[in-house]
Amino acid sequence: MNPAVTNLVLMLTMMQVAKKLDFEDPQVLLYARVGYVACQVIALAVYLITRAKINSKNDMVTLKYVEPANPFGGEAAPKATVTTVKEYDLKQVDTQIKGIFTGMAMLGFMHLYMGYTNPLLMQSISTVKSALESNIVKIHVWGTPATGDLKRPFKSAPGFLQQFMGGDNEVKTDKQSVEAAEKAGAGGVKED
């Protein structure tokens, strides 16, 4: 099933459940907080298990690709990247883990400072769902072959502004693009 559809169904269901709960009751609020923290710990555990599996496989196959230019980051030209599958996968896991902590910080602000309680319920389930459906977890935990949409480097959805501004935001792996970026002096040095 399409993850976007399941996210929508999940959010609508959780909104209905949140309407039924009395968050003014300290007991309900405590359970919502404990549930949220437990789900964040589960998602973090999934990524740490994935990280351990990546390290145990130690896949040192070289991976070359060209990252698109990021005009918002001050990059004018595409950047050639040379790395290993292991390093690429570890970078993906680190990005996901940072996302968990960023989400926790945002929700902490919304809940503790602004007093919103409904996001506790909605964000708890969606974090675990996202962790279990991420490409890197599909490859290393579920054992799905790294082909098609799971082929490295992963395709990323276009950013909000990139959709309207146009431009090529796709990572290129073809030999011509990699060689052109390396000759242009945009990257090509192995990442550590």
Side-chain angles (χ1 to χ4, degrees):
M1 188 181 261
N2 186 348
V5 173
T6 57
N7 283 343
L8 181 64
V9 170
L10 183 67
M11 284 299 137
L12 291 174
T13 303
M14 296 310 281
M15 284 172 53
Q16 294 305 315
V17 170
K19 285 182 183 178
K20 305 273 188 225
L21 295 176
D22 178 21
F23 285 110
E24 299 298 319
D25 181 4
Q27 192 82 15
V28 172
L29 186 58
L30 175 67
Y31 288 141
R33 288 175 177 163
V34 168
Y36 174 77
V37 171
C39 287
Q40 302 313 300
V41 169
I42 290 169
L44 186 60
V46 167
Y47 289 128
L48 292 176
I49 290 168
T50 305
R51 181 180 249 291
K53 288 188 179 250
I54 292 168
N55 284 325
S56 70
K57 287 180 184 175
N58 199 26
D59 190 349
M60 300 307 281
V61 173
T62 301
L63 182 63
K64 289 184 176 185
Y65 59 94
V66 179
E67 295 179 39
N70 181 4
F72 301 113
E75 298 173 3
K79 180 181 141 194
T81 303
V82 179
T83 187
T84 63
V85 170
K86 177 184 175 181
E87 291 302 316
Y88 179 82
D89 289 355
L90 288 173
K91 186 176 175 184
Q92 295 297 310
V93 169
D94 289 344
T95 301
Q96 298 293 335
I97 290 172
K98 285 177 189 171
I100 288 175
F101 289 115
T102 302
M104 287 176 67
M106 288 173 46
L107 189 87
F109 172 76
M110 287 174 56
H111 176 63
L112 299 173
Y113 184 74
M114 299 177 75
Y116 292 119
T117 53
N118 287 357
L120 281 174
L121 193 62
M122 294 187 206
Q123 289 300 320
S124 57
I125 303 297
S126 65
T127 306
V128 173
K129 182 182 176 300
S130 295
L132 295 174
E133 291 179 343
S134 71
N135 289 341
I136 202 72
V137 172
K138 285 179 185 176
I139 293 170
H140 292 285
V141 175
W142 304 126
T144 308
T147 57
D149 287 343
L150 297 180
K151 186 176 181 206
R152 296 171 190 94
F154 303 133
K155 291 180 175 35
S156 61
F160 178 73
L161 292 175
Q162 287 176 329
Q163 291 177 347
F164 298 109
M165 295 182 67
D168 190 15
N169 71 329
E170 197 165 314
V171 174
K172 293 184 168 65
T173 56
D174 61 288
K175 189 173 181 179
Q176 272 184 330
S177 298
V178 172
E179 287 177 358
E182 286 174 342
K183 285 180 185 173
V189 177
K190 186 176 183 310
E191 290 184 349
D192 290 324

